[in-house]
């Protein structure tokens, strides 16, 4: 009989502190922040970190994975199920524009990781792809409901708009008022009028 090992409360708390510190530092400093800095910020020894994670790469992937539900909850309106397809798409971009306008905004964590880590086999890049697949599927479902001629193509284009707005806001160092919503509206009108 196999028994499941339940992490001790101390190990669980240490893991959470590491994930919190990693998420904060990877977002604010970048993916190349050192293990020493992550451990110091978390108040955890390197030995403890390596008992919980095989590598910094694994820690980065775990921190990103853990943040996906919360980040999607910030992007996707809680009442999205009651909205039409176009409303679901445009409300996501309106919410994104609100996030981009925040003075503490430093870009999408997933886009930042994808550009900061060049190896497509890195475990964090898999998490980034999963996030983008989830976002694209959200757009595809809404585009299909909106009557788009090619819902997948429109979804991929909308995902590119999402990435582009994040990147433009960081590069320019300022918000992108209505740029995302206007671009998404134009794409919706083009694809749904065919």
């Amino acid at each position: 009989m196999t028994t499941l090992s339940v992490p001790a409360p101390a190990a669980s708390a240490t893991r959470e502190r590491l994930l919190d510190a990693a998420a904060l530092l990877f977002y604010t400093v970048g993916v190349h922040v050192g293990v020493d800095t992550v451990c110091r910020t978390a108040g955890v020894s390197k030995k403890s970190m390596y008992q919980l994670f095989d590598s910094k790469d694994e820690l980065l992937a775990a921190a990103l994975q853990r943040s996906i539900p919360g980040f999607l909850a910030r992007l996707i309106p809680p009442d999205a199920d009651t909205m039409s397809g176009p409303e679901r798409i445009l409300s996501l971009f309106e919410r994104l524009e609100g996030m981009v306008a925040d003075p503490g905004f430093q870009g999408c964590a997933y886009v930042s990781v994808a550009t900061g880590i060049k190896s497509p086999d890195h475990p964090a890049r898999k998490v980034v792809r999963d996030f983008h697949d989830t976002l694209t599927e959200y757009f595809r479902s809404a585009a299909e409901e909106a009557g788009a001629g090619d819902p997948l193509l429109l979804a991929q284009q909308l995902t590119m708009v999402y990435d582009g707005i994040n990147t433009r806001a960081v590069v320019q160092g300022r918000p992108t008022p209505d740029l995302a919503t206007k671009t998404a509206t134009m794409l919706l009108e083009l694809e749904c009028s065919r």
Side-chain angles (χ1 to χ4, degrees):
M1 178 177 181
T2 305
T3 58
L4 294 175
S5 168
V6 178
S12 180
T14 299
R15 178 181 168 79
E16 291 304 307
R17 285 199 325 268
L18 277 166
L19 290 170
D20 288 343
L24 173 69
L25 290 169
F26 292 141
Y27 182 70
T28 58
V29 177
V31 296
H32 301 293
V33 69
V35 168
D36 289 333
T37 303
V38 173
C39 290
R40 189 172 42 256
T41 302
V44 172
S45 70
K46 280 173 52 173
K47 179 181 177 188
S48 293
M49 188 205 105
Y50 284 115
Q51 288 172 339
L52 293 166
F53 299 96
D54 290 337
S55 65
K56 177 183 143 186
D57 294 349
E58 185 182 303
L59 174 60
L60 171 58
L64 281 172
Q65 185 67 50
R66 184 183 75 154
S67 70
I68 290 175
F71 189 70
L72 286 173
R74 288 180 63 204
L75 276 177
I76 298 171
D79 58 346
D81 312 5
T82 65
M83 297 177 169
S84 68
E87 289 172 332
R88 288 199 329 255
I89 291 168
L90 296 177
S91 65
L92 183 143
F93 283 111
E94 288 166 2
R95 291 168 77 94
L96 175 62
E97 286 174 344
M99 292 166 65
V100 166
D102 184 314
F105 182 78
Q106 294 184 21
C108 170
Y110 310 100
V111 173
S112 296
V113 166
T115 57
I117 296 175
K118 304 307 176 199
S119 170
D121 299 326
H122 190 286
R125 288 283 296 269
K126 182 193 178 314
V127 175
V128 170
R129 284 190 296 275
D130 290 346
F131 168 76
H132 273 78
D133 290 348
T134 299
L135 187 62
T136 301
E137 177 52 30
Y138 174 85
F139 288 140
R140 189 209 58 76
S141 172
E144 185 174 64
E145 184 183 317
D150 189 340
L152 180 58
L153 176 62
L154 178 56
Q156 291 167 335
Q157 291 168 328
L158 292 169
T159 302
M160 287 178 60
V161 171
Y162 168 86
D163 290 341
I165 291 300
N166 276 283
T167 303
R168 181 169 177 82
V170 171
V171 168
Q172 297 295 322
R174 62 179 181 263
T176 58
D178 298 328
L179 185 58
T181 351
K182 286 179 180 176
T183 305
T185 300
M186 182 186 68
L187 287 169
L188 268 167
E189 288 171 356
L190 283 172
E191 188 58 37
C192 294
S193 66
R194 293 180 186 189

